[in-house]
């Protein structure tokens, strides 16, 4: 995006304005023009964060460039509904500069990283005259996310998928990780590319150190709890899975993907959808990481009032013995229809998840073990472990899971 202004567009709602002081730092503006400014973002555990600004000059910088250089960054944040109710002004917060350095033609300014939720703009005040130049190419870059390319795929039955694909350079055919996003990232209630930006579900695999392709479809809308008892929604999920299967086969046919190393991971609604994808195509995947899965196999949450019980006592999250036994039998029956014991699955969830009950993963893990699965794992995080991950809700068990190198390495050890 290019425009002649002293404002840098960071996103649809965030502006970085560059303002200058009276005195100048030691840089000859007539011989070394400033070509561009790049605002660097990355994806943290709970979404986009900001940590760096890079200035690109026409010529390599000299050591004296930093002599007398001063920079001050101030962020403006919108406080949301509370600000409207109390007629409060937006918050202005100074953003500490942690390091300034130069590499070749680049001046790099590291900032103490911060969550960008509510960020309206960042003002950069400096005694370097070029920061106010109005003839620049301004850019925004989100690490890893901007390496994905958006596409559309039309399946044989006409089902159309909007998806993002990351392909590692010079590593084809590559392993493939399919990331199934949560219900909060569907297009109906979020924005395009939320499936890549809301958390590290997709970028964790790009940044794993393994040269991996990553595929993430962004679905139009979420499905209900207990989808197995909702015929129209269940049929739609199956159509999406069929379309994804055809999409993956197109990547295989293009020799981009290693057929022996196709993996799937998903959280919340994506975890539940991932389970159904595995059951529909049990010979496709070499391994799966299923996190905080929604109840797509046997209805539990609505039936027993286990979902969204934020203020209820822990006892309200537990099934009565007879309800557990009947649900367990239903799960056994459902899992007898297809054999998925050949797909190593690592189940992970908070033991006191107040949004998606952990009974789905608890029962599935136990039944699959009885059926002969030998490579599965099951992690139930305690309240203390979830608190140590600094998450707002116990449901966010993808945070400790995707930050666990043991789980990441386990995935890449699996082959069909």
């Amino acid at each position: 995006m290019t425009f002649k202004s002293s404002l840098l567009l960071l996103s649809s709602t965030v502006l970085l304005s560059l303002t200058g002081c009276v005195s100048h730092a030691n840089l000859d503006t007539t011989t070394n023009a400033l070509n561009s400014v790049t605002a660097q973002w990355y994806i943290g555990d709970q979404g986009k964060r900001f940590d760096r600004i890079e200035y690109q000059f026409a010529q390599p910088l000299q050591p004296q460039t930093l002599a007398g250089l001063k920079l001050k960054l101030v962020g403006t944040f919108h406080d949301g509904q509370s600000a409207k109710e109390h007629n409060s002004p937006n918050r202005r917060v100074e953003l500490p500069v942690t390091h300034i350095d130069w590499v070749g033609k680049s001046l790099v300014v590291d900032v103490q990283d911060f969550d960008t939720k509510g960020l309206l703009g960042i003002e950069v005040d400096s005694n370097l005259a070029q920061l106010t130049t109005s003839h620049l190419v301004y850019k925004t870059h989100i690490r890893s996310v901007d390496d994905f390319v958006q596409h559309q795929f039309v399946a044989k039955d006409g089902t159309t998928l909007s998806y993002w694909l990351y392909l590692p350079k010079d590593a084809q055919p590559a392993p493939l990780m399919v990331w199934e996003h949560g219900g909060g990232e569907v297009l109906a209630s979020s924005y395009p590319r939320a499936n890549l930006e809301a958390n590290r579900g997709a970028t964790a695999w790009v940044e794993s150190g393994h040269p991996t392709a990553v595929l993430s479809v962004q679905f139009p809308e979420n499905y209900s709890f207990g989808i197995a008892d909702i015929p129209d929604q269940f049929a739609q999920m199956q159509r999406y899975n069929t379309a994804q299967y055809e999409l993956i086969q197109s990547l295989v046919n293009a020799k981009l993907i290693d057929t022996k190393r196709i993996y799937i991971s998903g959280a919340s609604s994506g975890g539940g959808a991932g389970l159904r994808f595995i059951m529909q195509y049990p010979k496709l995947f070499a391994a799966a990481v299923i996190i905080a899965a929604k109840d797509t196999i046997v209805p539990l949450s609505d039936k027993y009032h286990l979902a969204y019980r934020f203020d209820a006592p822990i006892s309200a999250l537990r099934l009565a013995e007879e309800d557990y036994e009947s649900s367990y039998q239903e799960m056994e029956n459902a899992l007898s229809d297809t054999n998925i014991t050949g797909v190593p699955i690592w189940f992970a969830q908070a033991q006191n998840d107040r949004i998606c009950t952990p009974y789905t993963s608890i029962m599935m893990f136990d039944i699959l073990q009885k059926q002969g699965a030998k490579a599965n794992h099951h992690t139930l995080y305690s309240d203390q472990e979830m608190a140590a991950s600094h998450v707002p809700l116990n449901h966010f068990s993808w945070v400790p899971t995707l930050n666990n190198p043991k789980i990441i390495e386990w995935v890449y050890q699996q082959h069909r």
Side-chain angles (χ1 to χ4, degrees):
M1 178 174 295
T2 305
F3 55 91
K4 294 181 178 180
S5 169
S6 60
L7 296 180
L8 170 56
L9 186 65
L10 298 184
S11 70
S12 59
T13 58
V14 181
L15 294 174
L16 173 61
S17 61
L18 308 177
T19 61
C21 299
V22 176
S23 60
H24 294 167
N26 296 332
L27 185 64
D28 188 345
T29 61
T30 62
T31 61
N32 199 356
L34 177 59
N35 287 343
S36 65
V37 183
T38 302
Q40 295 284 358
W41 305 57
Y42 74 98
I43 303 302
D45 290 332
Q46 298 176 50
K48 290 185 291 186
R49 299 184 71 85
F50 186 99
D51 68 348
R52 175 174 293 181
I53 301 173
E54 295 183 5
Y55 302 100
Q56 188 74 17
F57 292 85
Q59 303 295 329
L61 301 177
Q62 301 302 316
Q64 60 267 28
T65 297
L66 297 183
L69 177 60
K70 296 179 181 179
L71 282 168
K72 180 180 179 181
L73 279 69
V74 176
T76 301
F77 293 82
H78 179 47
D79 282 330
Q81 188 61 37
S82 62
K84 293 181 181 179
E85 292 174 354
H86 299 93
N87 196 28
S88 301
N90 296 321
R91 290 184 297 119
R92 287 174 56 82
V93 179
E94 184 169 350
L95 309 172
V97 175
T98 59
H99 188 66
I100 301 175
D101 204 354
W102 78 100
V103 180
K105 300 177 183 180
S106 298
L107 182 68
V108 179
V109 180
D110 289 324
V111 181
Q112 183 174 307
D113 77 318
F114 62 92
D115 191 330
T116 62
K117 289 183 177 65
L119 178 65
L120 296 175
I122 302 172
E123 296 176 10
V124 181
D125 194 16
S126 174
N127 59 346
L128 184 61
Q130 282 96 326
L131 296 184
T132 61
T133 302
S134 61
H135 303 287
L136 301 174
V137 177
Y138 296 114
K139 298 181 293 184
T140 297
H141 182 257
I142 305 178
R143 292 195 289 278
S144 298
V145 169
D146 284 349
D147 295 325
F148 283 79
V149 179
Q150 184 181 12
H151 306 271
Q152 277 201 335
F153 180 80
V154 181
K156 293 177 182 177
D157 66 357
T159 299
T160 300
L161 300 178
S162 177
Y163 71 95
W164 277 258
L165 179 66
Y166 167 82
L167 290 172
K169 296 179 181 178
D170 304 322
Q172 282 83 35
L176 173 67
M177 173 56 73
V178 178
W179 167 246
E180 299 264 328
H181 65 79
E185 290 80 68
V186 297
L187 277 168
S189 57
S190 62
Y191 56 93
R193 215 167 72 163
N195 53 315
L196 306 182
E197 297 181 2
N199 52 54
R200 298 181 62 247
T203 58
W205 306 104
V206 175
E207 298 166 359
S208 67
H210 295 268
T212 310
V214 181
L215 166 68
S216 181
V217 172
Q218 187 171 22
F219 295 100
E221 56 187 0
N222 199 15
Y223 61 86
S224 304
F225 285 101
I227 190 175
D229 282 353
I230 309 174
D232 58 333
Q233 290 191 22
F234 185 67
Q236 181 65 73
M237 177 177 285
Q238 290 184 309
R239 286 192 292 272
Y240 284 145
N241 289 340
T242 298
Q244 281 199 91
Y245 176 81
E246 292 178 12
L247 168 56
I248 292 169
Q249 292 309 307
S250 73
L251 299 176
V252 169
N253 294 337
K255 302 187 184 305
L256 298 173
I257 301 304
D258 182 351
T259 57
K260 296 183 181 298
R261 302 183 69 193
I262 299 175
Y263 310 114
I264 187 169
S265 58
S268 193
S269 291
L275 290 174
R276 279 296 179 181
F277 200 172
I278 296 167
M279 292 176 68
Q280 199 167 332
Y281 295 97
K283 295 183 178 181
L284 178 62
F285 298 106
V289 179
I290 301 298
I291 310 167
K294 204 169 178 179
D295 56 345
T296 55
I297 315 302
V298 172
L300 292 164
S301 297
D302 280 349
K303 185 175 181 179
Y304 297 110
H305 310 291
L306 299 175
Y308 292 96
R309 300 298 302 275
F310 297 120
D311 299 320
I314 297 299
S315 59
L317 307 178
R318 305 290 184 252
L319 286 175
E321 184 176 352
E322 61 271 21
D323 294 331
Y324 182 90
E325 291 177 356
S326 64
S327 298
Y328 189 95
Q329 185 61 58
E330 284 186 67
M331 184 74 78
E332 277 192 312
N333 294 339
L335 292 177
S336 67
D337 293 337
T338 182
N339 184 358
I340 63 171
T341 57
V343 182
I345 303 174
W346 195 310
F347 297 93
Q349 193 159 10
Q351 65 183 12
N352 292 318
D353 190 328
R354 294 175 175 272
I355 294 180
C356 291
T357 175
Y359 280 118
T360 290
S361 62
I362 291 170
M363 293 178 187
M364 284 194 72
F365 176 78
D366 190 60
I367 293 168
L368 289 173
Q369 292 293 98
K370 290 180 179 178
Q371 290 182 347
K374 300 184 183 303
N376 290 356
H377 295 267
H378 191 207
T379 299
L380 278 176
Y381 300 107
S382 67
D383 288 351
Q384 292 75 19
E385 288 173 310
M386 293 303 298
S389 294
H390 306 289
V391 294
L393 298 169
N394 272 7
H395 182 54
F396 286 34
S397 47
W398 49 88
V399 173
T401 301
L402 295 173
N403 279 298
N404 187 339
K406 181 179 178 180
I407 295 177
I408 302 296
E409 293 305 312
W410 173 85
V411 168
Y412 291 108
Q413 292 170 5
Q414 312 304 315
H415 299 73
R416 285 204 65 84

